[in-house]
Amino acid sequence: MYNTHTDIWVAGAFAAVVVDFVVYPFDTLKTRIQSPNYEKVFKDARTGAVQRNVLFKGLYQGVWSVVFSTIPSSGAFFTTYETVKSILHNSSNSSQNRNRSSTNGTLDKFHLPFTHSLPTPIMHGIASSTAEMVSCLILTPAEVLKQNAQIINQSQSKNNKSTLSNEGKDKGKGNKSAMRQVISKFRHHPWRLWSGYTALVSRNLPTTALQFPMFEYVRSRLIERRRRRKAESARRAGTRHGTSESGQSDQLIERAGLTGLAAAISGSIASTVTTPIDVVKTRVMLSASEVRDKGPFAVGRDILRNEGVRGLFKGGLIRAGWTAIALGLYLGLYEGGRFWLEKRRMERDGVGRDEGEAVV
């Protein structure tokens, strides 16, 4: 890898912004279904049928709070993830690194006092969990604003606007955007924007701890299988395997295409398993503006008591589907962007591909 921290930050931020716009409507639907007021706001009181004109309206409400926070949070995640993963690999394989330090001095730069090698899945789990805690600290206020904005019924706001205009009072109050309405709730208590940090970390830590080891494993198997098949095909055809241009094309496919596929598989599995935690997190964040907001355990008990186990899996199918799409696109774009930045930096510095791959 011949990327700097800036390359990793830019690639991660670019991928995150693109994905936010693509999958945000699915996230809004999931939040509305998980909302405790779903039956009252998004269903007809008489017939019990879903009001599609309300449920599917304003699917991009609150999107800008996420976009603006995504750039620093995603950059912080990938920079932390790659750094911690590199340090753990170097420390866990210190004897090999010392032998190679003569060819690449950067390998022996950071070491932790390990006496035994850590299993690769454990290293990936530690790296992703550390990165997630850093990222969540930046992302929590935006998540609280976003999820509260997603459940606002703009139709009622328009009706309020019409009534207020007729009465000649507070003209324009009903014209507030969803985000402005939410921000006004936290105007006097801005620290409540971080009240969902524990819930967000409680959901994301097990998700990433499951997701990234699975992702790294599935990706390595897919790449190994593809290379084995290409080598077999080349041997049968009696041709030399790979040229400079085809090698770069293969790397792009492996780092972007296969990365996206592996991320989609691991993401859908991890998101399905952790859906109950996501439901609790959503409820905690939706109650963040209340004077007496409840903690994750109290919210979880209320859901079990009032809605049963089924209530903990609300929105699970939507979450699994959009996570597969989002994470596949996210990590695929990230690896593709990182590859492009790496190639451009190597060409500028006059570094060959083999030499660049030796740099960690």
Side-chain angles (χ1 to χ4, degrees):
M1 185 176 75
Y2 196 72
N3 289 119
T4 64
H5 288 308
T6 302
D7 291 344
I8 293 171
W9 194 290
V10 170
F14 169 76
V17 170
V18 172
V19 170
D20 278 342
F21 278 106
V22 172
V23 303
Y24 193 85
F26 299 100
D27 185 57
T28 300
L29 288 174
K30 181 209 64 149
T31 300
R32 290 175 177 177
I33 291 172
Q34 292 177 348
S35 167
N37 296 322
Y38 172 70
E39 302 288 336
K40 298 178 182 178
V41 177
F42 301 104
K43 284 189 175 183
D44 188 280
R46 291 182 294 104
T47 64
V50 175
Q51 300 183 77
R52 297 181 181 275
N53 61 322
V54 179
L55 181 63
F56 293 98
K57 187 174 184 179
L59 293 179
Y60 277 94
Q61 289 175 186
V63 68
W64 289 110
S65 67
V66 176
V67 170
F68 289 135
S69 65
T70 286
I71 295 174
S73 65
S74 62
F77 176 88
F78 281 111
T79 301
T80 305
Y81 177 70
E82 298 290 352
T83 301
V84 174
K85 185 173 72 170
S86 178
I87 291 173
L88 290 174
H89 273 288
N90 290 346
S91 302
S92 192
N93 301 288
S94 57
S95 60
Q96 297 178 15
N97 292 336
R98 291 191 190 98
N99 293 334
R100 294 172 59 188
S101 61
S102 59
T103 58
N104 186 0
T106 60
L107 285 174
D108 204 34
K109 189 173 182 180
F110 296 108
H111 289 289
L112 296 175
F114 290 156
T115 57
H116 299 284
S117 295
L118 289 174
T120 299
I122 297 297
M123 288 190 281
H124 292 156
I126 293 173
S128 61
S129 297
T130 305
E132 195 62 55
M133 286 189 288
V134 174
S135 177
C136 285
L137 190 62
I138 303 171
L139 194 59
T140 298
E143 278 286 311
V144 172
L145 291 174
K146 177 198 77 173
Q147 295 204 306
N148 279 272
Q150 285 173 333
I151 64 168
I152 287 179
N153 188 347
Q154 290 290 69
S155 298
Q156 291 181 355
S157 296
K158 288 184 178 180
N159 291 336
N160 290 341
K161 176 188 175 184
S162 177
T163 302
L164 290 169
S165 296
N166 292 335
E167 294 177 356
K169 296 180 180 180
D170 299 328
K171 186 176 181 181
K173 182 179 179 182
N175 197 33
K176 284 184 178 180
S177 68
M179 184 53 65
R180 286 178 60 195
Q181 292 181 53
V182 173
I183 291 175
S184 65
K185 294 180 180 180
F186 294 92
R187 183 173 53 191
H188 301 296
H189 307 285
W191 57 87
R192 289 187 178 275
L193 289 172
W194 276 271
S195 62
Y197 177 76
T198 302
L200 185 62
V201 169
S202 298
R203 181 201 69 174
N204 287 7
L205 277 187
T207 302
T208 54
L210 287 172
Q211 189 171 275
F212 273 83
M214 276 195 294
F215 158 70
E216 297 280 5
Y217 175 80
V218 173
R219 180 173 64 170
S220 65
R221 296 285 81 80
L222 290 175
I223 292 175
E224 181 183 335
R225 181 182 178 185
R226 182 175 184 275
R227 289 178 177 175
R228 193 165 54 241
R229 292 177 64 180
K230 283 183 68 66
E232 183 65 24
S233 299
R235 190 163 49 250
R236 288 177 181 176
T239 59
R240 188 175 178 180
H241 177 60
T243 63
S244 178
E245 291 186 2
S246 66
Q248 290 187 6
S249 176
D250 287 344
Q251 278 209 339
L252 181 60
I253 292 173
E254 290 176 359
R255 290 180 62 170
L258 296 185
T259 290
L261 178 59
I265 295 171
S266 61
S268 60
I269 295 172
S271 63
T272 300
V273 173
T274 58
T275 293
I277 307 173
D278 182 61
V279 174
V280 172
K281 187 270 303 181
T282 298
R283 297 289 179 89
V284 169
M285 288 190 166
L286 292 179
S287 65
S289 61
E290 298 176 7
V291 177
R292 294 183 178 180
D293 54 327
K294 296 181 179 179
F297 290 104
V299 170
R301 284 197 303 269
D302 287 347
I303 295 174
L304 275 174
R305 184 170 57 251
N306 300 325
E307 304 172 48
V309 176
R310 188 176 180 180
L312 290 173
F313 284 89
K314 281 187 173 181
L317 288 177
I318 294 178
R319 183 168 184 253
W322 75 254
T323 298
I325 297 171
L327 194 66
L329 184 60
Y330 183 36
L331 293 183
L333 285 173
Y334 166 69
E335 283 293 337
R338 203 176 73 167
F339 175 78
W340 182 79
L341 291 170
E342 177 185 73
K343 182 174 178 291
R344 190 180 67 166
R345 188 175 295 279
M346 289 170 62
E347 289 175 351
R348 187 191 65 189
D349 295 346
V351 177
R353 171 62 55 183
D354 293 337
E355 183 181 355
E357 290 175 353
V359 178
V360 175

